[in-house]
Amino acid sequence: MIVWYYFNTAVLVLYPSVLCCCAGSGVTVNSVHPGSVRSELVRHSTMMALVFRLFSFFIKTPREGAQTSVYCAVAEELESVTGKHFSDCSPAFVAPQGRNEEVAKRLWDVSCDLLGIQWE
């Protein structure tokens, strides 16, 4: 489960930089981090359910967690913004590992190979 979380996070943060090749097409690609959101994902883990309960004051409701995604989808001021990472409706810092273009391209190529697709 932890490996899947880190893989998903890498994909979400690295892919927007690769997909910026859509420049001029009118397509924008950004990643969003909803934060820690109260959901049913912890229902199968007593340990995680306990942690979520202990820190429930800091955990967002589903409505609060969706705000950044909705903002990025409808905000007119982001119409031409692409390749960025957002958290709490603002551009967010991405660690150097998440800004590595070479790693992003390799992850993209491996994903395409695994899916059996070609992307021009």
Side-chain angles (χ1 to χ4, degrees), residues 77-93:
E77 64 269 22
L78 299 181
E79 200 169 284
S80 61
V81 175
T82 190
K84 301 294 180 191
H85 180 68
F86 288 83
S87 180
D88 294 325
C89 298
S90 300
F93 172 78

Side-chain angles (χ1 to χ4, degrees), residues 52-104:
F52 266 56
R53 193 165 290 159
L54 286 172
F55 294 99
S56 63
F57 182 73
F58 301 104
I59 297 175
K60 296 178 181 181
T61 65
R63 183 183 185 102
E64 292 167 338
Q67 294 304 304
T68 302
S69 296
V70 172
Y71 169 73
C72 288
V74 301
E76 290 180 14
E77 64 269 22
L78 299 181
E79 200 169 284
S80 61
V81 175
T82 190
K84 301 294 180 191
H85 180 68
F86 288 83
S87 180
D88 294 325
C89 298
S90 300
F93 172 78
V94 175
Q97 301 89 329
R99 296 187 307 255
N100 187 321
E101 296 289 328
E102 186 178 312
V103 171

Side-chain angles (χ1 to χ4, degrees), residues 3-21:
V3 172
W4 179 249
Y5 170 80
Y6 286 115
F7 176 76
N8 261 355
T9 302
V11 168
L12 291 174
V13 173
L14 290 168
Y15 274 8
S17 64
V18 174
L19 292 174
C20 283
C21 64

